[in-house]
Amino acid sequence: MQHQPHQSHTDAHAPVYIQNLLSSLFGFYVCVSDTVLSYLMGPRFLVYASCALSIWGDRMWHFAMSVFLIELYGHNLLLTAVFGLVVAGSVLVFGALIGDWIDRKPRNKVAHASLFIQNSSVTACCVVLMLVFSYKSEIEQMWHGWFTVSVFCYAVVIILADLANLASTALMITVQKDWIVVITGDNRGQLAGMNAAIRRMDQVINIFAPLSVGQVMTWASNVIGCGFILGWNLISLLVEFIFLSRVYQLVPPLAVKSQQNAGEYETRSLKTTPLTSTLLLGARGEITKLPLCFRKMHRMLCTCRDGWKVYYRQSVFLAGLGLAFLYTTVLGFDCITTGYAYTQGISGSLLSILMALSGFSGLMGTILFTKLRKHYGLAVTGVISSLLHVSCLMLCVFSVFAPGSPFDLDTVKEPAAYLPIPKKHQPTHTHLGFITKHCSLAGLWSFDLTVTQLLQENIPESERGIVNGVQSSMNYLMDLVHFIMVILAPQPQQFGLLVIISLLFVITGHVMYFIYAKKYKIKETVIQPTGRKPQNPSV
């Protein structure tokens, strides 16, 4: 009986303890919910979501387009090669013009226009492809072989797809090269984190996006595949438009843009001597007498010329040029490497697994970049990534001379000596080559992120668009060189020679980066939590 009051007192306080506990848990839940909601509605997440949707659509479209072109032309690679040539040539020619347009126009208008042109072009191309696939037999009967109609359809498809690629390039430069620099401000740690996060999304999406549309095309039909991509683009257009508009509202600095380029031509002419000024005035007088179309053509050519000059005078010119040289290689995981591996007896299923592993290696490269940059700085990260990339590719060159390799220099001197390569078990040289290529991808993507951030940090805001446009042109130019190499040496017996030449291009590109790093003596200061700019402006 003496303990009953104490027990009753404890029981009376028990609900109070539970109530306090529940109140604390509810407060923690509200706090976490507010934090998560604030992040989900913040500009960084909205940029990530917009980039993810855009990248997913691009990857699906690029994969499906290659299949559609082969189906259109009767299982022949000619139309695919023409499309690749048109895409690379158009970016090479119009890259500077796209960049100049990005610099001159407000950021929101550039993003919205690029987004609309890209998605509408893909949608229109899907409609044309659906009509061709659905009524191909009727068109053949109506036009008796439909050669003229088929050429017209090929031209329309390629032009629309090329226009979509140009708009995609403009959108990529706008958001990934300009917007995220403004969003992160002076905090270079956040800039590196956003660059790495977008690249990780790209690697993961590169695995799953082609798989998704490929399954639809395989189990349904090409028409259903076109409809699937069409629906995705319409939904993506609406969602990306809303997200980018919201980001533009949340980040007021995006509305402020330097207009230095607007008077660029006048400024140049004011810096000339009296004699050259007189000559320029006379030349302008002659130009004004030309028809309007010729005057516009002249202005476009001047813009391209000035864009390349602006690119050349950048402090990070050698770093950007070195990155472009890495595109001249047959050591990447593209259609050329896949085709060569197939001639050496590697099955399609194993190739798909290797392609997925290449995406995993790319993810490791993004993680490597963030770790190295945090501990050693941006410049040293580029050096370490370069050494890792080159050392792994050196082992890949050794695989050319490994047992089972078809490498034969006699085929270079005597084209008649071409012999078919029988499909056998997977030889040692192919295994060694793929292993070293996978290892080199970590260094490659880490180096790519390093140069990307160097370009972001060192290019003036007023020239950010045109310099990145010219950089895209350089990348496509060097990519064209690597396709020309394959055209000149297409046999599997000559692939070893292409590997050696590719290594020379890669080494040249990395040497350019070393020269850049030594010339400007890039030494990063310790990255401070406040995100203040380091003392060296070249970092």
Side-chain angles (χ1 to χ4, degrees):
M1 295 296 294
Q2 295 178 354
H3 293 284
Q4 288 180 356
H6 177 71
Q7 182 178 0
S8 149
H9 180 73
T10 304
D11 294 340
H13 282 274
V16 177
Y17 296 148
I18 296 175
Q19 183 179 3
N20 292 336
L21 178 61
L22 292 176
S23 178
S24 300
L25 291 176
F26 180 74
F28 176 76
Y29 170 78
V30 171
C31 181
V32 172
S33 300
D34 291 342
T35 303
V36 173
L37 184 61
S38 176
Y39 176 77
L40 293 179
M41 298 301 296
R44 293 180 63 182
F45 177 79
L46 294 177
V47 168
Y48 289 152
S50 177
C51 289
L53 290 172
S54 179
I55 294 171
W56 190 286
D58 287 344
R59 295 300 185 184
M60 285 198 308
W61 174 243
H62 290 160
F63 174 81
M65 189 62 183
S66 61
V67 177
F68 292 155
L69 291 177
I70 292 176
E71 289 291 335
L72 280 178
Y73 204 65
H75 298 277
N76 191 295
L77 292 175
L78 178 61
L79 204 59
T80 305
V82 172
F83 172 68
L85 181 63
V86 170
V87 167
S90 61
V91 177
L92 176 61
V93 173
F94 298 108
L97 296 174
I98 292 174
D100 178 69
W101 174 67
I102 292 173
D103 286 333
R104 289 186 291 105
K105 300 298 181 180
R107 288 189 173 94
N108 61 333
K109 292 184 178 180
V110 170
H112 293 161
S114 302
L115 182 64
F116 178 78
I117 294 173
Q118 178 194 8
N119 286 271
S120 59
S121 298
V122 173
T123 301
C125 193
C126 287
V127 171
V128 174
L129 287 171
M130 291 173 69
L131 292 175
V132 172
F133 286 135
S134 300
Y135 301 101
K136 185 175 181 180
S137 58
E138 288 81 354
I139 295 175
E140 289 179 351
Q141 295 176 1
M142 183 181 301
W143 293 92
H144 306 289
W146 76 303
F147 175 78
T148 304
V149 178
S150 63
V151 172
F152 175 76
C153 293
Y154 299 157
V156 171
V157 168
I158 290 177
I159 291 173
L160 289 174
D162 181 52
L163 185 61
N165 183 74
L166 291 174
S168 175
T169 301
L171 185 62
M172 182 270 296
I173 294 174
T174 300
V175 177
Q176 299 184 27
K177 310 295 185 183
D178 183 30
W179 281 40
I180 66 172
V181 180
V182 179
I183 291 171
T184 56
D186 295 336
N187 195 325
R188 303 192 173 187
Q190 288 187 5
L191 178 60
M194 290 193 72
N195 285 329
I198 292 175
R199 193 56 52 86
R200 290 190 193 109
M201 289 190 301
D202 184 31
Q203 295 299 312
V204 173
I205 291 172
N206 193 30
I207 299 173
F208 294 103
L211 181 64
S212 62
V213 70
Q215 296 303 312
V216 174
M217 294 164 58
T218 300
W219 297 104
S221 65
N222 290 331
V223 176
I224 301 299
C226 290
F228 178 74
I229 297 175
L230 187 150
W232 176 276
N233 275 272
L234 292 178
I235 297 175
S236 177
L237 172 62
L238 178 61
V239 176
E240 288 183 65
F241 184 89
I242 295 174
F243 284 0
L244 292 178
S245 299
R246 182 58 180 167
V247 172
Y248 189 79
Q249 295 173 357
L250 292 174
V251 185
L254 288 174
V256 181
K257 194 169 187 180
S258 174
Q259 297 297 327
Q260 179 180 344
N261 282 357
E264 186 175 355
Y265 303 108
E266 290 77 5
T267 302
R268 286 200 193 99
S269 51
L270 288 174
K271 294 181 179 179
T272 57
T273 63
L275 177 60
T276 54
S277 297
T278 304
L279 294 175
L280 285 174
L281 289 174
R284 288 178 180 176
E286 293 294 331
I287 292 173
T288 54
K289 296 179 181 179
L290 295 174
L292 179 61
C293 59
F294 288 101
R295 291 201 302 269
K296 289 185 177 181
M297 182 67 67
H298 179 266
R299 184 185 179 280
M300 292 172 61
L301 293 176
C302 290
T303 301
C304 293
R305 179 200 62 193
D306 295 336
W308 286 89
K309 287 182 178 179
V310 170
Y311 176 75
Y312 175 74
R313 72 165 183 255
Q314 298 297 319
S315 61
V316 290
F317 164 71
L318 285 176
L321 186 62
L323 177 63
F325 264 68
L326 302 190
Y327 282 76
T328 309
T329 177
V330 296
L331 299 174
F333 283 85
D334 55 5
C335 57
I336 293 174
T337 303
T338 303
Y340 173 75
Y342 191 74
T343 64
Q344 300 306 299
I346 295 184
S347 63
S349 60
L350 181 57
L351 279 175
S352 62
I353 296 174
L354 293 174
M355 294 297 290
L357 290 177
S358 69
F360 178 77
S361 300
L363 288 175
M364 294 299 101
T366 61
I367 297 174
L368 177 67
F369 166 74
T370 54
K371 297 295 183 182
L372 290 177
R373 183 197 168 277
K374 183 177 180 180
H375 290 88
Y376 301 105
L378 192 59
V380 179
T381 298
V383 173
I384 297 175
S385 302
S386 297
L387 295 176
L388 175 62
H389 186 214
V390 173
S391 59
C392 291
L393 292 185
M394 287 291 292
L395 296 175
C396 189
V397 172
F398 294 153
S399 69
V400 172
F401 305 96
S405 174
F407 180 52
D408 186 5
L409 284 176
D410 291 337
T411 59
V412 178
K413 302 177 182 179
E414 302 177 8
Y418 296 159
L419 295 175
I421 303 295
K423 293 183 179 181
K424 310 181 232 183
H425 61 280
Q426 292 87 11
T428 305
H429 82 283
T430 308
H431 288 159
L432 178 60
F434 270 97
I435 292 173
T436 53
K437 286 176 186 176
H438 277 96
C439 295
S440 69
L441 286 178
L444 172 63
W445 287 113
S446 179
F447 179 77
D448 179 87
L449 284 169
T450 301
V451 176
T452 297
Q453 185 153 345
L454 284 171
L455 293 173
Q456 290 171 330
E457 294 179 358
N458 292 275
I459 298 173
E461 180 183 351
S462 60
E463 299 173 343
R464 198 173 287 156
I466 196 167
V467 171
N468 281 289
V470 175
Q471 180 66 46
S472 299
S473 298
M474 281 297 307
N475 295 343
Y476 274 95
L477 174 62
M478 303 310 293
D479 195 37
L480 274 177
V481 173
H482 119 269
F483 279 109
I484 293 174
M485 286 167 43
V486 177
I487 292 174
L488 296 177
Q491 297 298 323
Q493 298 94 329
Q494 299 170 325
F495 191 79
L497 179 62
L498 299 181
V499 170
I500 297 173
I501 296 175
S502 299
L503 179 64
L504 296 178
F505 273 96
V506 170
I507 292 176
T508 302
H510 288 302
V511 168
M512 289 180 182
Y513 176 81
F514 294 152
I515 295 174
Y516 160 77
K518 182 178 180 180
K519 181 178 179 181
Y520 292 94
K521 298 179 181 179
I522 304 177
K523 296 179 181 179
E524 290 184 317
T525 58
V526 178
I527 301 175
Q528 301 179 2
T530 58
R532 291 183 300 174
K533 287 184 179 180
Q535 296 178 356
N536 189 348
S538 297
V539 180

